[in-house]
Amino acid sequence: MSENIRLLEVNKLSKKIFLSNGKELQILKDISLSASSGEFISILGISGSGKSTLLKCISSLLRPTSGEILLKGVDPYHINNFKLSRLRREDISFIFQSYNLVPSLPVLENILLPLRLSGKKMNTQLVKTLLDRMNFNANLNDFVSTLSGGEQQKVAIARAIITNSDIIFADEPTGALDSKSRGVIFNLLRELADKGKCVIMVTHDIELASQTDRALILKDGKIFQELVNPRGEELYKILDTKIL
Ligand SMILES: Nc1ncnc2c1ncn2[C@@H]1O[C@H](COP(=O)(O)OP(=O)(O)OP(=O)(O)O)[C@@H](O)[C@H]1O
Ligand SMILES: [Mg+2]
């Protein structure tokens, strides 16, 4: 089990964007949080509350307007491109809401791509075992553009897991999946956290969130509430189910 090493530190993060009509939109306000190895954290909130923007800001993909982010003690927005690329390749993984797969590459190549880019050993058998566990029904040689949304989501998850990085950011990783696959994927992420990884997952799924260690509820770009060992009924109460 992990010794709870602090892997992420976020201090007063705010994000504003400037719209084409000249107006300003404040998406995130003064968000502070931290996460350690062995922790599985869920982020909930209604559509448009800023979940994806937060995940991108804390994972080195989107520069905040103000505030500090430390990933394994390093501020990704104040290091050179070489170090930033290495941090993204080796220390963090991201499962995107929109998958971000390479449509012109087959399944296997999409999954192995991060390992190929970092010159690491590639184990095709490991990919097969992982996909089998996810009940993946397509072929390793299929182009991802020919797959269903759910199968593409599984490829995106396998690509994020295979690199063995310390922090996994997942933006609605079960959104396109049937309930059986949803459970399988959740258990995979839960196991990774139990083995010492840090998993930070955006989800609309209260049942899954209630099995994480901590739930952060976003409202109007702020952390409205934080629950340790959240119970489903507490989450249902806070998040009016009509608007989830
Ligand atoms: N680049 C952008 N330009 C204009 N508006 C943006 C941009 N990025 C985010 N927003 C707005 O900021 C708000 C938060 O967006 P975000 O994608 O973070 O929400 P979310 O909580 O992930 O929603 P969902 O549950 O639908 O995925 C939304 O109102 C969105 O329209
Ligand atoms: Mg989103």
Side-chain angles (χ1 to χ4, degrees), residues 32-44:
S32 297
L33 63 102
S34 61
S36 300
S37 56
E39 266 198 302
F40 194 166
I41 296 175
S42 50
I43 299 176
L44 298 104

Side-chain angles (χ1 to χ4, degrees), residues 51-52 97 171-172:
K51 303 179 300 296
S52 294
Q97 192 168 4
D171 197 348
E172 296 191 37

Side-chain angles (χ1 to χ4, degrees), residues 152-185:
Q152 289 189 32
Q153 188 152 41
K154 290 175 187 170
V155 174
I157 293 164
R159 181 181 61 179
I161 289 178
I162 207 85
T163 54
N164 198 28
S165 48
D166 287 336
I167 317 175
I168 298 163
F169 295 96
D171 197 348
E172 296 191 37
T174 60
L177 303 179
D178 59 79
S179 63
K180 187 171 167 222
S181 295
R182 194 170 3 149
V184 171
I185 298 300

